[in-house]
Amino acid sequence: MVLFVIGLGLADEHDITLKGFEAVKSSERIYLESYTSILMVPGFKERLEKLYQKPVILAHRETVELEADSILQGAATANVAFLVVGDPLSATTHTDLILRAKQSSPSIPVKIIHNASIMTAIGSSGLAGYNFGQTVSVPFWSEDWKPDSWLERIGENLRIGLHTLALSDIKVREQSAQDMSRGILRYQDPRYMLIPQLISQILSAARSHSVDYLHPDHTLAIALCRMGSEEERIVSGTLQELLDMANPSEQEARAEEAEDDADELASEAELDKRRAARAEARAKKAFGEPLHSLVIVGKRLHPLERDYAASYACPASKFLAVAQDDYACKE
């Protein structure tokens, strides 16, 4: 029997390959890994079940990392499909499951079925895949936890002129630190990092370390939003221009401040929650619903890359001027 590890592609249930679909149809048990990414349609589990005409088991982080033996036991007696959004091996997240299958006794055959992922969809930005360096993942920060080791990777890429794909964090079925410390099994609402927060954390880390790169007005970037879906949105500009797209106008800012000042009964926590909701709404208006990723453009920028990426420039962008003056990208 076989453990199929199958990429689902980027957007919805129809992105699976024909080979992957046939493998699913031959499988007795189907698991959907549900914590590293999501399909960008509502009710995606039910959509998959309707297409496959089979039940789909959601595999949360604890299932894959702590209960992997139950998946492999099934694969010892029947075909089992393990579904992963995007490509199953774009990251090393699932290599442990594959190694366990190969090292089990008797060994369980594993068949990998690849698919499109954000790692291949970056071509839609107009930038050549050959010119990308290390990919980084930027996690949500909290008041007492602000990891920024990824900043050094961005710097290494930029120092040799390479582009950087920055993946934004998602939080699905996560517990708060407080609940975990108290032994309370309660999951927080899903959270998806959007372009403004991604850029803000990158610039904050750059300021904190006083790096000589990532200047907001002189660093080009491309926002890749909902790639592969019908709502795909690509926007280019400087880091500051992309950030400004989700900032309130002066009139909006004054109106929001007046509204908050007038609500004398609201606590500071309630006001913070209200402000965060407004910021999220503006980010979604500017860039669309999640998932979002960001490309930081390196200075090996080729004129063809420049012209293609500039076709996505936000209104009144200085993209071409920065490409010429700061990137020395000329004909």
Side-chain angles (χ1 to χ4, degrees):
M1 299 293 101
V2 177
L3 172 66
F4 292 106
V5 183
I6 304 169
L8 290 181
L10 285 162
D12 59 38
E13 70 274 23
H14 299 296
D15 285 347
I16 191 170
T17 64
L18 181 57
K19 183 181 291 185
F21 182 74
E22 291 173 345
V24 168
K25 296 295 284 185
S26 75
S27 297
E28 184 173 299
R29 192 178 304 171
I30 305 166
Y31 293 90
L32 172 62
E33 185 268 282
S34 61
Y35 60 93
T36 59
S37 190
I38 58 166
L39 289 174
M40 292 180 283
V41 288
F44 54 83
K45 176 180 179 291
E46 291 74 17
R47 286 174 177 242
L48 293 176
E49 290 176 329
K50 182 178 180 180
L51 178 64
Y52 304 154
Q53 292 296 295
K54 291 185 175 186
V56 172
I57 304 166
L58 286 180
H60 303 294
R61 185 185 298 275
E62 55 267 32
T63 304
V64 179
E65 296 181 354
L66 303 178
E67 303 169 16
D69 288 344
S70 63
I71 300 174
L72 298 182
Q73 285 172 0
T77 57
N79 287 349
V80 171
F82 184 76
L83 311 180
V84 181
V85 175
D87 184 87
L89 294 180
S90 286
T92 58
T93 307
H94 306 302
T95 53
D96 179 66
L97 179 67
I98 295 168
L99 285 173
R100 288 193 190 194
K102 292 182 176 182
Q103 294 168 357
S104 63
S105 182
S107 177
I108 297 171
V110 178
K111 175 67 175 177
I112 310 296
I113 301 178
H114 294 282
N115 207 323
S117 75
I118 188 61
M119 308 293 281
T120 52
I122 54 176
S124 289
S125 69
L127 305 183
Y130 292 105
N131 293 334
F132 276 79
Q134 303 165 89
T135 297
V136 301
S137 295
V138 179
F140 279 111
W141 280 354
S142 63
E143 288 187 7
D144 54 359
W145 190 70
K146 296 184 178 182
D148 57 12
S149 59
W150 40 265
L151 180 65
E152 186 176 349
R153 306 286 86 77
I154 295 174
E156 290 170 354
N157 290 342
L158 292 178
R159 277 191 284 274
I160 56 175
L162 297 180
H163 314 311
T164 303
L165 173 63
L167 303 176
S168 59
D169 196 9
I170 71 171
K171 295 290 187 185
V172 180
R173 199 178 161 88
E174 296 278 342
Q175 290 182 266
S176 69
Q178 293 87 344
D179 284 348
M180 291 179 67
S181 65
R182 297 171 184 170
I184 300 173
L185 183 59
R186 178 170 53 195
Y187 298 107
Q188 297 178 300
D189 292 336
R191 290 193 297 153
Y192 307 96
M193 186 182 289
L194 306 178
I195 289 295
Q197 184 170 3
L198 178 56
I199 294 176
S200 294
Q201 288 191 190
I202 290 172
L203 293 179
S204 178
R207 288 191 298 269
S208 176
H209 291 273
S210 301
V211 300
D212 59 355
Y213 49 88
L214 292 175
H215 189 288
D217 292 312
H218 300 281
T219 302
L220 298 176
I222 305 170
L224 304 177
C225 309
R226 297 186 67 79
M227 298 303 293
S229 75
E230 294 297 322
E231 302 84 29
E232 178 177 295
R233 190 176 302 184
I234 303 174
V235 188
S236 64
T238 66
L239 287 172
Q240 188 62 54
E241 287 171 343
L242 295 181
L243 198 57
D244 288 344
M245 286 181 63
N247 285 337
S249 66
E250 290 186 12
Q251 183 178 359
E252 289 172 331
R254 286 195 298 269
E256 291 172 1
E257 184 177 0
E259 179 185 354
D260 292 344
D261 290 342
D263 191 352
E264 298 178 355
L265 298 179
S267 67
E268 195 59 38
E270 290 171 330
L271 291 175
D272 286 344
K273 187 174 182 180
R274 183 185 301 170
R275 292 165 187 144
R278 290 173 183 149
E280 180 178 338
R282 286 193 295 266
K284 289 181 177 179
K285 182 179 179 180
F287 298 102
E289 296 288 330
L291 303 170
H292 293 182
S293 299
L294 183 76
V295 174
I296 299 170
V297 180
K299 291 194 174 180
R300 285 191 193 177
L301 183 66
H302 188 277
L304 285 177
E305 292 181 301
R306 174 203 62 200
D307 293 345
Y308 199 117
S311 69
Y312 298 119
C314 58
S317 174
K318 300 184 297 181
F319 190 97
L320 289 174
V322 171
Q324 176 173 308
D325 298 339
D326 295 283
Y327 282 62
C329 183
K330 303 175 182 179
E331 297 298 339

